[in-house]
Amino acid sequence: MTLNLLIAPDFAPERFAGWHMLNTVLQKRSGLQLHLLTPASAAEQAQLIAEGKVDAVYANPFDAASMIRDAGYQAIARPVGKSDEMVIATAAGSAANTVEDLQPGCKIALTDNKDVKLIGLRLLEPADLTEADIQWQMVDTYQAAARMAIKGEVDASFFLAEAYHSLSKLTKSQLKALMESKLADITHVLLTSAKVGADAERVKEALVGLTGTPDGQPVLDELGIAGGFEPMTQEDAEFMIDLMDTLLD
Amino acid sequence: MAFPPMQPAADADQARQHTYHDGTSRTVQVSEREIPYPEGRLIISRTDLNGVLTHANDAFIELSGYTREELIGQPHAILRHPDMPRAAFKDLWDTMKAGKKWHGYVKNLRKDGSHYWVYATAVPNIRNGQTVGYTSVRRKPSRKKIEELSAVYKEWKAAEGST
């Protein structure tokens, strides 16, 4: 049986090869047939999951929460030292220096990443800004969000922190970070569906065993997850879900 | 309730008496000094059903001024500032015991007598249909809300007839 492994679409483009390398090494180590799915958007991901085509998912934290609680997925592992963080940035020459300088009616560019939006909204609370106070500008890529901020077409842009730090030196020199989250406890999660059964343990062992090995560590480095993966218990997952529940409003 | 001793800073020159819900009381030393909320961070803790701390993240430890060893196993009320009215915490516990989420602005007391404001959200930890504990996550509050709530809490405290 071939298991479909889906990678949430919010990884940086330069990590693409790394995910394919991971798929290859996991197959070798687990003895399982794995087929990698890399949907281009959150909508495509949702469709694949709804069609029942997904056996394992490297999910962003908020999707993971609903998949565990509502769709019976099980959390098996998470990256070590790689939490999901976000950056709110404006043009380097902007008068704003903190999020508290943003005013009701301000324009903010963002991509289709609901984790980034949700965490960003929480970080705007000290400025008394709610979702309704902001004119949202949806863009397809973080590069587009950066361009809009640099040109002054928006007052700020939301970025996944990894994407912000992957912007070119030139682009970053024209931006100013107003806020970078340090949430630490919220990470992506590798989930398996109930139908994977006992094979979930083989996937977990293969993944957790990569750290420091000749064939595993280069893959982890390529993914920007040098610390590797650690096993996750049901209670670890429940704890993260409770935590995220507090951030929903 | 018994707590590890505070370590008041030189400016913590006001002695205030607290009486807790179980009837025990504690004298705390407080100052007017406010410590800014750490940017971009969440302060996270968990308690058991009795409000005893079972988990605190690094931000919680750093901001409280206590060590992890001093905090774990202590009642969450170790952070209670004497300016906080009892009614605010009664609402928190009533809400969570009903299995619901609670939000509120809280002034917390540090080990050195200074304080910090948070916007707190608390949820019951429900496992197999049973509440087994509580998680509280704090975020940076707006200055406007702190000012509004300071005035409200002052009124509630006055109504409670304590200082």
Side-chain angles (χ1 to χ4, degrees):
Chain A
M1 186 177 96
T2 299
L3 299 179
N4 285 325
L5 167 61
L6 184 147
I7 309 300
D10 56 2
F11 59 85
E14 64 268 25
R15 305 290 185 207
F16 192 78
W19 288 110
H20 282 275
M21 288 162 65
L22 180 74
N23 192 53
T24 304
V25 75
L26 284 182
Q27 290 194 79
K28 212 162 80 183
R29 283 175 167 246
S30 68
L32 297 166
Q33 291 283 323
L34 298 171
H35 175 62
L36 197 67
L37 299 173
T38 54
S41 66
E44 194 183 328
Q45 171 184 311
Q47 192 182 341
L48 286 164
I49 292 169
E51 288 168 358
K53 290 180 178 165
V54 177
D55 305 298
V57 191
Y58 188 60
N60 65 44
F62 288 91
D63 282 345
S66 62
M67 291 172 77
I68 294 168
R69 287 233 165 129
D70 308 329
Y73 280 79
Q74 180 195 357
I76 60 169
R78 64 179 159 200
V80 176
K82 190 177 166 65
S83 52
D84 281 289
E85 307 291 352
M86 67 90 61
V87 171
I88 303 175
T90 187
S94 163
N97 289 309
T98 68
V99 291
E100 282 93 338
D101 293 328
L102 298 171
Q103 300 297 320
C106 66
K107 288 184 186 169
I108 294 182
L110 81 168
T111 59
D112 179 23
N113 183 320
K114 55 187 174 197
D115 297 61
V116 168
K117 183 176 181 184
L118 191 66
I119 294 168
L121 280 169
R122 301 291 81 87
L123 295 176
L124 289 177
E125 286 169 342
D128 288 307
L129 292 174
T130 65
E131 190 166 2
D133 294 320
I134 295 158
Q135 299 181 53
W136 299 100
Q137 309 283 318
M138 289 300 294
V139 293
D140 289 334
T141 63
Y142 290 112
Q143 284 78 8
R147 276 196 301 276
M148 289 188 87
I150 290 167
K151 288 183 184 169
E153 292 168 0
V154 290
D155 298 288
S157 293
F158 281 5
F159 299 89
L160 191 67
E162 188 181 24
Y164 180 80
H165 293 297
S166 314
L167 293 169
S168 73
K169 240 183 189 170
L170 178 66
T171 304
K172 267 198 289 183
S173 72
Q174 299 173 79
L175 290 167
K176 172 167 60 177
L178 297 176
M179 168 71 72
E180 176 160 4
S181 71
K182 300 175 208 71
L183 309 182
D185 295 84
I186 297 179
T187 65
H188 272 53
V189 179
L190 185 71
L191 305 171
T192 52
S193 75
K195 67 180 177 186
V196 174
D199 286 345
E201 200 55 37
R202 290 164 71 182
V203 176
K204 177 160 81 177
E205 275 175 25
L207 188 66
V208 170
L210 295 175
T211 320
T213 61
D215 61 336
Q217 192 61 43
V219 177
L220 296 171
D221 292 343
E222 187 70 24
L223 289 171
I225 307 174
F229 290 84
E230 62 183 1
M232 214 171 165
T233 64
Q234 188 65 19
E235 181 51 33
D236 292 333
E238 292 285 351
F239 176 45
M240 199 168 91
I241 293 169
D242 283 335
L243 200 167
M244 288 184 296
D245 190 20
T246 70
L247 299 177
L248 293 178
D249 51 9
Chain B
M1 278 190 247
F3 297 102
M6 289 181 67
Q7 211 164 50
D11 59 355
D13 52 7
Q14 304 169 42
R16 303 271 296 271
Q17 188 79 11
H18 254 327
T19 303
Y20 297 95
H21 63 274
D22 65 355
T24 59
S25 61
R26 174 195 190 199
T27 301
V28 292
Q29 293 290 126
V30 304
S31 68
E32 294 298 323
R33 186 158 43 97
E34 180 178 354
I35 304 298
Y37 190 97
E39 293 291 345
R41 295 180 81 177
L42 297 175
I43 298 173
I44 302 168
S45 62
R46 295 176 85 178
T47 69
D48 65 14
L49 292 173
N50 297 315
V52 172
L53 283 163
T54 56
H55 168 90
N57 75 344
D58 291 344
F60 187 106
I61 304 289
E62 287 165 28
L63 213 55
S64 74
Y66 292 94
T67 64
R68 190 176 301 277
E69 292 68 33
E70 285 174 316
L71 285 172
I72 302 301
Q74 295 295 334
H76 206 284
I78 189 172
L79 299 182
R80 189 170 152 192
H81 195 283
D83 288 348
M84 283 299 295
R86 277 196 293 274
F89 294 108
K90 183 175 185 311
D91 181 47
L92 183 159
W93 286 107
D94 288 350
T95 305
M96 286 206 297
K97 282 180 177 162
K100 294 178 186 158
K101 191 191 288 191
W102 181 88
H103 292 285
Y105 293 85
V106 181
K107 183 177 186 178
N108 279 331
L109 178 68
R110 286 164 45 91
K111 187 180 183 181
D112 69 358
S114 59
H115 65 271
Y116 57 97
W117 278 92
V118 299
Y119 178 57
T121 303
V123 292
N125 305 136
I126 298 168
R127 308 287 183 263
N128 303 315
Q130 298 289 317
T131 299
V132 297
Y134 303 99
T135 294
S136 179
V137 178
R138 294 78 162 183
R139 321 197 284 249
K140 184 179 179 184
S142 89
R143 188 42 54 183
K144 195 174 125 198
K145 296 281 188 194
I146 292 173
E147 280 157 18
E148 282 172 20
L149 268 299
S150 294
V152 170
Y153 290 162
K154 214 169 185 174
E155 281 175 25
W156 290 7
K157 282 289 287 186
E160 284 172 2
S162 54
T163 52

